[in-house]
Amino acid sequence: MHLRTMTKHDIPAGLRLKELAGWNQTAADWNRFLDASPAGCFVAEVDREVRGTATTISFENKFAWIGMVLVDPENRSRGIGTKLLERAIEYLDDQKMSTMKLDATPQGKPLYEKLGFVSEYGIERWVLKRPPQADMEIVDSKRVLLSPAQLGSILGKDREVFGADRSPLLRSLYEETPHYTMCVWSSGTLQGYAFARKGSFADHLGPWMAEDSAAARPLLHGFLARSSRETLIVDCLTANAVALELLRTSGFSYARTLTRMVRGPNDYPGKPDTLCAILGPEFG
Ligand SMILES: CC(C)(COP(=O)(O)OP(=O)(O)OC[C@H]1O[C@@H](n2cnc3c(N)ncnc32)[C@H](O)[C@@H]1OP(=O)(O)O)[C@@H](O)C(=O)NCCC(=O)NCCS
């Protein structure tokens, strides 16, 4: 088994692995990882074939995100996942990044615990399956564009909520699907915002932030109206009863649990109390 830095030539191999795991990422998502961190994404090769991946993204030198820890089902339980994770940690240690975070699947959690990650909070994946919708996205897109000032306010608020600036990542989502970025204002104050992206089999809402249910509801309903996909995904914070209730009453069903985990000092926890849903386990 040989570990090396991932390049854009490896994207088809990364797509093959995420497909085998039933994940929702696209080539655009792999490009986001490699653009954000060209030296910080890794592949494991067996007989010159890519059989495993791991990505890292640093957010403002405050903390780094580890994602896309994937091993081909044929090559599991041979230590490849552990080696990939150790390589990602070694890379981040070299960058003097003392805090690392990730969202663990139940399968990945024991591996992360062995390497010093501890649980921060719970996340639940909720999924909506619905009949095909009329495609209204193109019609809507011009009408719903945000002003640069509005987008700036959203990015500033997200920095507070997430704990670090991730505007390049959020801007790339906005550029790809501008009509999926929404905000709610009251008396000139931002009450909530949401982004979403197109995945390979589902549209995925997040981050979704709201001060209260009055702000949370139109953002979720806006996403339901603007997407034409039959499958929709939301990774909701287990502690956010308002968001969970909205999902339930909108027809979503619980799918699985994720655990937000941290390694090292958690000096930038953000403000998760107003967060309804994360961007996604691979991005934070
Ligand atoms: C989670 C995942 C990445 C683990 O990859 P992996 O290569 O199987 O991981 P490892 O081999 O390093 O460790 C897994 C197990 O194999 C064991 N193992 C490690 N080296 C071994 C070896 N040489 N021989 C036999 N078993 C070994 C480990 O002890 C561990 O067992 P345990 O869980 O009972 O303690 C892989 O299962 C996967 O891709 N799952 C789907 C995607 C996913 O959930 N990813 C995690 C995202 S958070």
Side-chain angles (χ1 to χ4, degrees):
M1 198 269 296
H2 168 67
L3 291 183
R4 64 167 172 80
T5 306
M6 184 175 190
T7 72
K8 293 206 173 182
H9 296 295
D10 297 312
I11 290 178
L15 284 169
R16 186 187 76 87
L17 292 180
K18 75 93 202 165
E19 205 59 42
L20 287 171
W23 287 5
N24 189 37
Q25 292 82 11
T26 60
D29 290 317
W30 283 108
N31 273 301
R32 280 190 251 278
F33 294 117
L34 292 165
D35 288 341
S37 192
C41 300
F42 304 96
V43 296
E45 284 184 325
V46 177
D47 297 331
R48 296 181 176 221
E49 282 207 37
V50 172
R51 296 297 179 140
T53 56
T55 58
T56 68
I57 300 185
S58 298
F59 293 114
E60 274 196 292
N61 286 334
K62 290 180 174 168
F63 52 84
W65 211 268
I66 297 180
M68 303 309 288
V69 180
L70 275 169
V71 173
D72 190 315
E74 283 188 14
N75 301 79
R76 287 185 191 162
S77 293
R78 293 177 205 168
I80 295 178
T82 304
K83 287 270 185 300
L84 276 162
L85 199 61
E86 285 171 346
R87 181 69 192 92
I89 291 171
E90 178 190 46
Y91 169 79
L92 294 171
D93 279 343
D94 288 349
Q95 309 290 308
K96 310 275 180 264
M97 188 66 68
S98 52
T99 304
M100 301 168 201
K101 291 190 168 197
L102 52 79
D103 291 327
T105 60
Q107 219 171 3
K109 194 164 175 256
L111 192 155
Y112 301 129
E113 280 168 343
K114 273 189 219 163
L115 291 170
F117 285 82
V118 296
S119 300
E120 191 183 351
Y121 54 81
I123 295 165
E124 291 178 11
R125 171 155 295 189
W126 285 66
V127 176
L128 175 69
K129 302 244 184 220
R130 59 181 185 173
Q133 308 289 303
D135 195 348
M136 56 181 286
E137 292 173 6
I138 308 296
V139 183
D140 253 356
S141 63
K142 281 212 178 71
R143 195 162 57 81
V144 297
L145 285 185
L146 301 179
S147 70
Q150 281 178 319
L151 187 58
S153 301
I154 293 173
L155 298 176
K157 188 71 180 177
D158 185 77
R159 184 172 189 254
E160 239 176 74
V161 171
F162 181 58
D165 180 56
R166 51 177 174 177
S167 23
L169 199 53
L170 294 180
R171 279 186 193 282
S172 83
L173 299 185
Y174 178 64
E175 276 156 26
E176 197 176 277
T177 43
H179 51 303
Y180 281 6
T181 306
M182 297 164 282
C183 49
V184 175
W185 298 80
S186 173
S187 311
T189 308
L190 184 63
Q191 297 294 308
Y193 61 86
F195 291 76
R197 67 198 147 111
K198 291 184 173 302
S200 58
F201 67 85
D203 280 358
H204 192 148
L205 177 70
W208 170 30
M209 172 268 157
E211 297 287 349
D212 52 27
S213 63
R217 186 175 296 108
L219 294 168
L220 179 64
H221 290 171
F223 172 60
L224 293 176
R226 289 170 193 205
S227 169
S228 59
R229 297 294 278 278
E230 290 171 48
T231 307
L232 302 177
I233 292 176
V234 183
D235 289 326
C236 187
L237 272 70
T238 308
N240 196 323
V242 165
L244 287 174
E245 184 56 21
L246 274 172
L247 290 170
R248 206 173 283 120
T249 53
S250 302
F252 282 78
S253 304
Y254 166 85
R256 63 183 165 96
T257 296
L258 296 160
T259 308
R260 176 142 302 186
M261 303 184 85
V262 58
R263 183 181 192 269
N266 194 9
D267 292 338
Y268 302 98
K271 291 185 177 163
D273 46 315
T274 55
L275 198 58
C276 300
I278 62 164
L279 198 173
E282 65 281 62
F283 292 113

